[in-house]
């Protein structure tokens, strides 16, 4: 019995031992089994590290079109929902510390193959783009016209070994920099250099391009890259003769030998007999050329040489340009970069396209003229080809950047164009296909802008700032040349120095806008330069360099101590105030206000001088009233120059004045003379209201911060004190009403030309009408002339 029970127990044990592994194999998935995929907010990460590379053109090593290597194939990312947060994740993945920007609409050219990711939304903390939310791998409704790109900060993550940057071409074949090496001796000294041998940066030096098959289209692209709008035909025979002459001279180094600064007799003979020889006029380098590029085949619409089909020379080739020579080009500078004043007058740039709001020459918001009124361009489908057409018609080269999202500030008034589609061959943006827009299509937050290639002028080499805490501030020093040709650094007097002069200095330094122009710089006294070399500087604000401004021929300073030398604080951004002209026209009316209600206004000097002789408190003053809505359309907040410690309390109105004069209100006659005036201290600079998604930052209550935020406006209603012009003494007639914001240039702005507003004004002694109210730079020159000749204006009579 016992023996039988043991046999059953043994049988059960054996059975359980066989059954358990079988059950485990049915409940635990095999390592080779592929799980079924389920929809996910994030793409499934790869088992191996995702490869990322920067590609495209034109670009530097820290920017480009983003490409991902997935399932053995390179592909791109669509720009839908792309953001700076996504760019930060990608840049860190590439070994850079962060991103400074991102691009859309295939700025670096269209990619090929798959569009791997679309609607990517990172939170910023992901280690790789594959962990961000998206539509999943390969799920996209985009085309390569929408390829996204990034611009990374040119600073590597410490200890980052694997750069993870893989280019579409071998590093040696990247074309980033191009230059013209002048061959004519005078060309080396004269800027801009517009003719010479085309050279590309190669390793630690420069290499040439073989001219076999070289076309005028190639020249057009090279000239555009270097800041020139057009090209000229080059005299190839001249350069062939030069090449031959140089080759003949190489084996005979003893000819024209200088010994101790004196020429040998043979050299002197050669010198006399060949006064006009190429050897005297030219300084071509005599070493053997290295041809890095064998052939170029541009179509002429490319914005960079790297975008053209290129054939690179083979490393082991004995002669890579047999029968040819180094490619030479000759370019035509735009009028403002031309030295020849006679030729400058013949060349005309577009009068119906302009750039506004840019800190540097050749950049700004694109504005176009239609029906005598300026308007903007919407950024939908805005790209380098369209931007290049704008740049060239304005006398610059091709476009370096096509900017979107009102990167150069928002415009005012109409938006004329949308979805501009230039081929790159057009003479004007008006010749390009575009779509007319409705108010629902675009807002001014989508205004397009450009940064154009401009010729190198070397202007920054003759000015510097010293002593500041950052490279954006300091005491100005300029390079001066005495009668003997000796160059020394010197200082600029304090006496006429203002914001306008500082604007030019910051532009020349390449440091953006002027934040402040300073007349005392004792706190930046760290240099041994003490002599004043420039005085009486007076600029319009549009000059490229201080030497182009008016200044004394002979230095004349009242305060010669170095602590009174001119200084600047520069900034990459600035505010830009604009008055809402239509609102002024809509809200104007006349009020006869009793004197007993004007005591506070009289105290703040808001009435005409004759008010002092009035029989107070009896009688009244006739006031022209209107509302002012002042917008900040720039890229930095408008803040008073004076700190709150120096604001003045006005007990009568119960508020602080942060600026002595914020606005001038004037009524002008046909000669431009003032017949009535008013002024407005900044009662209180604050954000009355803002655009959608912009928050208010400034409020005057409780001694709060004063200012106007970007995208907000300050409203001075028609019914508040001093919001008027006292016209008690004005006779009936036709006048011009003028309002000027920030009239003393007390606070720096990116553009002062739009600070004035003008209206035609008709007054019959009882009623008043305003017509044609507009910002100072909103009309064409022709329309502005018509405005000034308003009917009845000249004889000052009612018409």
């Amino acid at each position: 019995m016992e023996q039988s029970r043991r046999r059953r127990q043994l049988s059960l044990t054996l059975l359980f031992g066989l059954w358990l592994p079988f059950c485990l194999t049915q409940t635990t998935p095999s390592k080779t089994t592929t799980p079924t995929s389920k929809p996910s907010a994030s793409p499934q990460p790869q088992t191996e590290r995702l490869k990322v590379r920067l590609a495209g053109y034109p670009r530097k090593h820290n920017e480009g079109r983003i490409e991902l290597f997935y399932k053995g194939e390179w592909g791109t990312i669509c720009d839908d929902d792309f953001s700076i947060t996504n760019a930060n994740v990608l840049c860190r993945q590439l070994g850079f510390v962060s991103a400074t920007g991102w691009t859309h609409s295939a700025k670096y050219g269209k990619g090929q193959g798959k569009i791997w990711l679309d609607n990517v939304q990172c939170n910023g903390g992901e280690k790789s783009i594959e962990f961000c939310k998206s539509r999943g791998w390969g799920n996209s409704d985009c085309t390569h016209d929408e390829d996204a790109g990034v611009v990374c900060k040119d600073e590597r993550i410490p200890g980052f070994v694997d750069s993870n940057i893989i280019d579409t071409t071998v590093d040696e074949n990247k074309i980033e920099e191009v230059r013209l090496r002048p061959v004519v001796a005078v060309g080396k000294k004269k800027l801009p250099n517009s003719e010479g041998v085309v050279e590309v940066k190669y390793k630690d030096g420069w290499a040439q391009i073989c001219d076999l098959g070289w076309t005028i289209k190639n020249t057009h692209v090279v000239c555009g890259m270097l800041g020139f709008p057009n090209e000229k035909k080059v005299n190839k025979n001249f350069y062939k003769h030069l090449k031959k002459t140089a080759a003949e001279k190489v084996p005979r180094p003893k000819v024209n030998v200088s010994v101790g600064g004196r020429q040998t007799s043979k050299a002197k003979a050669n010198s006399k007999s060949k006064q006009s020889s190429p050897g005297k006029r030219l300084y071509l380098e005599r070493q053997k050329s290295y041809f890095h590029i064998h052939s170029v085949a541009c179509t002429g619409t490319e914005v960079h040489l790297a975008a053209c089909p290129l054939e690179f020379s083979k490393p082991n080739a004995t002669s890579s340009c047999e029968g040819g020579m180094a490619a030479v080009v000759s370019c035509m500078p735009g009028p403002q970069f031309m030295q020849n004043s006679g030729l400058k007058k013949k060349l005309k740039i577009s009068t119906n396209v302009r750039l506004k709001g840019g800190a540097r020459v050749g950049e700004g918001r694109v504005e176009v003229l239609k029906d005598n009124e300026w308007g903007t361009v919407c950024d939908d489908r805005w790209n380098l080809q369209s931007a290049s057409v704008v740049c060239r018609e304005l006398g610059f080269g091709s476009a370096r950047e096509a900017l979107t999202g009102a990167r150069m500030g928002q415009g005012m008034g109409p938006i004329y164009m949308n979805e501009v589609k230039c081929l790159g061959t057009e003479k004007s943006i008006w010749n390009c296909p575009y779509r007319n827009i409705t108010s629902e299509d675009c807002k001014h937050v989508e205004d397009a802008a450009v940064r154009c290639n401009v010729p190198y002028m070397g202007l920054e080499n003759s000015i510097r700032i010293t002593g500041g805490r950052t490279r954006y501030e300091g005491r100005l020093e300029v390079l001066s040349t005495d009668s003997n040709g000796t160059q020394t650094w010197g200082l600029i007097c304090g006496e006429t120095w203002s914001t306008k002069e500082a604007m030019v200095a910051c532009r020349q330094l390449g440091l953006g806008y002027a934040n402040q122009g300073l007349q005392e710089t004792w706190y930046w006294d760290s240099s041994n330069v003490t002599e004043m070399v420039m005085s009486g500087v007076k600029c319009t604000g549009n000059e490229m360099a201080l030497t182009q401004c008016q200044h004394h021929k002979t230095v004349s300073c009242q305060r010669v101590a170095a602590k009174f030398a001119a200084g600047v604080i520069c900034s990459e951004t600035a505010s830009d105030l604009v008055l809402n002209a239509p609102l002024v026209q809509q809200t104007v009316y006349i009020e006869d206000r009793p004197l007993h209600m004007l005591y506070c206004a009289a105290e703040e000097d808001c009435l005409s001088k004759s008010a002092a002789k009035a029989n107070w408190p009896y009688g009244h003053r006739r006031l022209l009233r209107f509302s002012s809505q002042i917008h900040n359309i720039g890229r930095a907040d408008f803040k008073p120059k004076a700190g709150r410690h120096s604001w003045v309390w006005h007990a009568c109105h119960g508020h602080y004045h942060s600026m002595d004069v914020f606005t001038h209100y004037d009524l002008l006659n046909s000669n431009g003379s003032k017949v009535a005036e008013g002024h407005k201290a900044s009662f209180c600079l604050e954000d009355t209201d803002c655009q959608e998604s912009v928050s208010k930052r400034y409020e005057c209550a409780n001694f709060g911060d004063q200012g106007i935020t970007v995208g907000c406006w300050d409203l001075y209603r028609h019914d508040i004190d001093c919001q008027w012009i006292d016209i008690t003494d004005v006779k009936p007639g036709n006048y011009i009403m003028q309002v000027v914001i920030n009239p003393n240039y007390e606070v720096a702005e990116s553009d002062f030309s739009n600070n004035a507003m003008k209206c035609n004004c008709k007054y019959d002694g009882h009623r008043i009408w305003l017509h044609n109210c507009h910002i100072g730079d909103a009309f064409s020159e022709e329309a502005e002339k018509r405005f000034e000749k308003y009917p009845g204006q000249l004889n000052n009579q009612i018409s």
Side-chain angles (χ1 to χ4, degrees):
M1 192 70 178
E2 180 69 16
Q3 197 173 8
S4 173
R5 192 173 69 244
R6 282 179 187 165
R7 278 199 299 268
R8 282 198 305 270
Q9 196 172 11
L10 180 61
S11 300
L12 287 170
T13 303
L14 288 170
L15 183 62
F16 182 78
L18 291 171
W19 172 77
L20 180 62
F22 178 79
C23 290
L24 288 174
T25 59
Q26 296 302 309
T27 57
T28 306
S30 166
K31 288 184 180 178
T32 58
T33 304
T34 305
T36 52
S37 58
K38 295 182 179 180
S40 172
S42 305
Q44 291 295 321
Q46 299 188 110
T47 52
E48 62 181 54
R49 186 179 177 188
L50 180 69
K51 291 180 182 177
V52 184
R53 71 182 180 188
L54 296 176
Y57 60 82
R59 67 183 189 84
K60 296 179 181 176
H61 65 281
N62 58 319
E63 62 178 322
R65 179 178 65 246
I66 282 291
E67 296 192 351
L68 311 175
F69 191 72
Y70 181 73
K71 287 191 175 179
E73 187 177 349
W74 287 103
T76 62
I77 300 179
C78 181
D79 60 16
D80 291 351
D81 292 334
F82 208 82
S83 67
I84 192 67
T85 309
N86 298 353
N88 273 318
V89 171
L90 285 159
C91 285
R92 287 197 303 270
Q93 200 170 348
L94 289 161
F96 297 100
V97 292
S98 63
T100 59
W102 63 276
T103 66
H104 62 86
S105 304
K107 179 194 167 178
Y108 299 102
K110 293 187 281 189
Q112 296 179 341
K114 298 276 190 181
I115 298 175
W116 279 129
L117 295 177
D118 189 6
N119 299 109
V120 180
Q121 294 179 327
C122 302
N123 60 36
E126 295 87 351
K127 300 267 185 186
S128 171
I129 196 74
E130 61 192 311
F131 299 116
C132 300
K133 291 181 180 179
S134 76
R135 297 177 63 168
W137 289 106
N139 187 3
S140 171
D141 59 359
C142 300
T143 66
H144 282 295
D145 287 313
E146 302 167 83
D147 284 344
V150 295
V151 181
C152 302
K153 186 176 181 181
D154 195 5
E155 182 181 338
R156 304 293 295 164
I157 297 173
F160 197 95
V161 180
D162 182 10
S163 69
N164 205 20
I165 303 173
I166 306 167
D167 292 288
T168 50
T169 57
V170 183
D171 284 351
E172 288 184 357
N173 289 344
K174 281 197 305 184
I175 304 298
E176 288 188 4
E177 291 185 61
V178 178
R179 74 175 186 183
L180 292 186
R181 177 167 57 82
V183 175
V184 181
V186 292
K188 193 170 185 181
K189 298 178 182 177
K190 193 173 84 172
L191 291 174
N193 172 38
S194 59
E195 182 171 315
V197 176
V198 183
E199 295 190 326
V200 295
K201 194 72 184 287
Y202 179 67
K203 295 183 178 178
D204 295 328
W206 295 87
Q208 291 77 41
I209 300 175
C210 180
D211 74 343
L212 292 175
W214 186 267
T215 67
I216 198 71
K217 292 178 179 179
N218 298 344
T219 301
H220 189 71
V221 173
V222 170
C223 288
M225 284 180 65
L226 298 172
F228 302 109
N230 298 302
E231 63 285 342
K232 295 188 293 184
K233 191 174 181 181
V234 71
N235 186 352
K236 287 193 69 173
N237 291 330
F238 172 80
Y239 286 93
K240 283 180 180 177
H241 177 65
L242 171 65
K243 179 185 175 187
K244 183 179 178 183
T245 305
E248 288 173 351
K249 289 182 178 180
V250 171
R252 297 195 292 270
K254 292 184 180 179
V255 180
N256 282 341
V257 172
S258 294
V259 180
R262 295 175 298 172
Q263 288 184 320
T264 61
S265 56
K266 187 173 183 180
K268 288 179 182 176
N270 283 341
S271 176
K272 290 177 182 177
S273 62
K274 297 184 180 179
Q275 288 291 331
S276 60
S277 69
K280 182 164 182 73
R281 292 183 287 114
L282 309 169
Y283 66 94
L284 183 71
E285 294 177 7
R286 294 177 181 175
Q287 72 269 20
K288 185 178 179 181
S289 297
Y290 176 76
F291 295 101
H292 180 49
I293 301 176
H294 184 68
S295 68
V296 181
C298 300
T299 64
T301 61
E302 297 88 350
V303 297
H304 197 283
L305 196 65
C308 303
L310 305 174
E311 184 182 333
F312 291 90
S313 302
K314 295 178 181 178
N316 300 325
T318 54
S319 176
S320 52
C321 192
E322 189 173 350
M325 55 181 277
V328 179
V329 303
S330 182
C331 305
M332 178 75 76
Q336 59 181 316
F337 303 102
M338 215 168 248
Q339 305 292 337
N340 187 330
S341 56
L343 193 59
K344 188 185 292 189
K345 291 178 182 177
K346 293 180 182 177
L347 283 174
K348 293 183 180 179
I349 59 173
S350 176
T351 56
N352 58 7
V353 179
R354 70 183 183 185
L355 301 181
K356 297 288 286 183
R360 298 168 179 83
V361 176
E363 69 174 29
R365 179 178 61 251
V366 179
E367 295 192 351
V368 292
L369 187 66
K370 182 180 181 182
D371 298 329
N372 289 313
E373 186 175 4
W374 290 98
T376 61
V377 176
C378 189
D379 63 12
D380 290 353
R381 300 300 173 204
W382 185 245
N383 61 20
L384 283 166
Q385 273 64 41
S386 299
S388 290
V389 170
V390 169
C391 289
R392 287 186 187 269
E393 72 174 304
L394 290 173
F396 306 113
S398 52
R400 187 159 50 92
E401 289 183 73
L403 303 170
T404 59
R407 286 276 299 280
M408 292 290 174
Q410 298 180 33
M412 294 283 281
I415 303 173
Y416 288 130
M417 293 178 166
N418 189 21
E419 296 188 10
V420 181
K421 297 177 182 176
C422 299
L423 298 174
T425 56
E426 298 87 350
K427 295 294 183 185
S428 171
I429 189 174
W430 285 108
N431 301 136
C432 303
Y434 68 92
R435 191 164 68 86
N436 290 315
I437 66 169
T438 62
S439 57
E440 292 79 28
D441 287 331
C442 284
K443 306 294 181 186
H444 281 296
V445 292
E446 301 169 82
D447 284 342
V450 297
R451 282 198 178 103
C452 305
N453 288 316
V454 297
Y456 175 71
M457 301 295 289
L459 298 174
E460 70 279 8
N461 298 328
S462 58
I463 187 171
R464 68 187 184 189
I465 48 178
T466 60
R469 295 162 298 179
T470 70
R471 70 186 189 96
Y472 287 92
E473 65 178 27
R475 179 184 291 167
L476 274 171
E477 296 179 2
V478 291
L479 197 60
S480 64
T481 308
D482 62 18
S483 56
N484 298 322
T486 306
Q487 291 189 323
T488 55
W489 289 98
L491 305 175
I492 302 174
C493 285
E495 291 147 17
T496 59
W497 193 256
S498 70
T499 302
K500 282 193 170 183
E501 288 70 45
M503 284 174 70
V504 177
C506 290
R507 182 179 298 124
Q508 186 176 353
L509 287 160
L511 296 178
Y513 307 95
N515 194 316
Q516 286 187 51
L518 304 162
Q519 295 186 346
E520 291 188 21
T521 53
W522 51 267
Y523 39 82
W524 286 330
D525 194 13
S526 65
S527 173
N528 57 2
V529 176
T530 57
E531 185 183 358
M532 297 286 180
V533 297
M534 201 173 190
S535 64
V537 182
K538 194 171 183 180
C539 306
T540 64
N542 298 317
E543 297 88 349
M544 289 193 290
L546 288 174
T547 51
Q548 297 173 356
C549 302
Q550 294 180 13
H551 58 276
H552 293 153
K553 289 184 178 179
T554 305
V555 178
S556 175
C557 293
Q558 294 179 9
R559 301 185 298 178
V560 295
K563 67 179 181 180
F564 297 119
V568 294
I569 299 176
C570 304
S571 173
E572 288 292 341
T573 58
S575 61
D576 188 13
L577 297 188
V578 177
L579 189 69
N580 184 341
L583 184 66
V584 175
Q585 187 167 316
Q586 294 161 13
T587 57
V588 69
Y589 65 97
I590 287 176
E591 178 192 14
D592 289 336
R593 194 164 181 82
L595 283 174
H596 68 84
M597 300 176 70
L598 292 171
Y599 279 104
C600 275
E603 183 183 309
E604 296 195 3
D605 199 25
C606 295
L607 301 173
S608 61
K609 293 177 182 177
S610 65
K613 301 174 184 177
N615 186 23
W616 291 78
Y618 308 104
H620 67 270
R621 304 299 293 180
R622 177 156 287 186
L623 307 175
L624 189 162
R625 283 187 172 274
F626 54 92
S627 295
S628 292
Q629 190 181 76
I630 299 165
H631 293 246
N632 182 0
I633 62 171
R635 292 190 288 149
D637 294 354
F638 183 93
K639 299 182 72 173
K641 185 177 180 181
R644 64 167 64 202
H645 62 280
S646 60
W647 294 354
V648 179
W649 172 256
H650 281 251
C652 196
H653 283 131
H655 56 244
Y656 284 92
H657 283 191
S658 58
M659 293 176 69
D660 291 335
V661 178
F662 178 55
T663 321
H664 277 168
Y665 304 146
D666 300 309
L667 205 61
L668 312 175
N669 64 16
S670 58
N671 298 322
S673 302
K674 295 179 183 178
V675 296
E677 61 183 297
H679 87 274
K680 186 168 188 58
S682 59
F683 274 8
C684 157
L685 285 173
E686 67 177 2
D687 297 326
T688 307
D689 208 349
C690 302
Q691 295 173 355
E692 189 179 348
S693 78
V694 178
S695 301
K696 298 179 184 179
R697 297 182 61 187
Y698 301 101
E699 188 176 7
C700 296
N702 302 317
F703 196 36
D705 277 346
Q706 292 196 25
I708 307 176
T709 304
V710 176
C712 298
W713 53 89
D714 191 4
L715 176 64
Y716 292 92
R717 285 175 51 87
H718 54 82
D719 54 0
I720 65 174
D721 257 8
C722 295
Q723 187 58 37
W724 62 58
I725 300 176
D726 184 350
I727 60 170
T728 306
D729 307 317
V730 175
K731 297 177 181 179
N734 288 308
Y735 301 94
I736 290 179
M737 177 187 167
Q738 178 175 278
V739 177
V740 183
I741 308 165
N742 193 16
N744 302 328
Y745 312 111
E746 207 173 312
V747 177
E749 297 185 49
S750 61
D751 186 4
F752 288 113
S753 66
N754 57 13
N755 281 30
M757 185 221 68
K758 294 181 180 180
C759 302
N760 288 125
C761 178
K762 185 175 181 179
Y763 176 49
D764 67 359
H766 305 284
R767 294 167 299 174
I768 201 157
W769 296 267
L770 295 184
H771 304 279
N772 301 323
C773 290
H774 65 282
I775 301 301
D777 65 344
F779 285 1
S780 67
E781 289 184 23
E782 182 185 343
E784 196 64 36
K785 287 176 183 176
R786 286 202 302 270
F787 169 85
E788 291 171 0
K789 294 179 180 178
Y790 185 69
Q793 188 73 34
L794 297 178
N795 59 18
N796 206 37
Q797 297 296 316
I798 297 292
S799 58

